């Protein structure tokens, strides 16, 4: 998925990330990649699903924490976003 994303093939990247996740539900790097891609595509609800799964499986995962805060800011939930880091 990351290679496709670097080539600006967002559809191909999404397919590849999804296949990786289907093959291994614990594929955190694929789930992070898909969440970032979905955020870039402004598909925040779908990205939030991946982020929630990441936070459940690895609560201290720094990238998941950052993505969660980013999504909160985009929903205008500034105070909860700040509290994510405190």
């Amino acid at each position: 998925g990351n290679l496709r994303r670097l080539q600006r093939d967002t559809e191909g990247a999404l397919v590849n990330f999804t296949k990786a996740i289907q093959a291994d539900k614990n594929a955190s790097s694929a789930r992070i990649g898909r969440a970032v891609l979905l955020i870039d595509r402004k598909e925040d609800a779908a990205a939030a699903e991946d982020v929630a799964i990441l936070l459940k499986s690895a609560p201290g995962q720094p990238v998941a924490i950052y993505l969660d805060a980013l999504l909160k800011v985009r929903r205008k939930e500034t105070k909860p976003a700040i509290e994510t880091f405190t």
Side-chain angles (χ1 to χ4, degrees), residues 23-82:
D24 178 6
K25 298 287 183 203
N26 297 316
S28 62
S29 63
R31 199 169 291 279
I32 288 169
R34 185 169 74 176
V36 169
L37 178 64
L38 291 167
I39 289 168
D40 287 346
R41 291 168 50 132
K42 298 187 182 359
E43 297 179 34
D44 291 4
E49 292 177 22
D50 277 340
V51 171
I53 292 168
L54 286 163
L55 289 171
K56 184 176 179 183
S57 64
Q61 212 292 345
V63 176
I65 293 168
Y66 167 77
L67 293 175
D68 184 50
L70 174 65
L71 289 167
K72 287 175 181 171
V73 168
R74 286 171 69 148
R75 291 190 305 262
K76 309 254 189 269
E77 299 171 7
T78 308
K79 186 174 180 182
I82 292 169

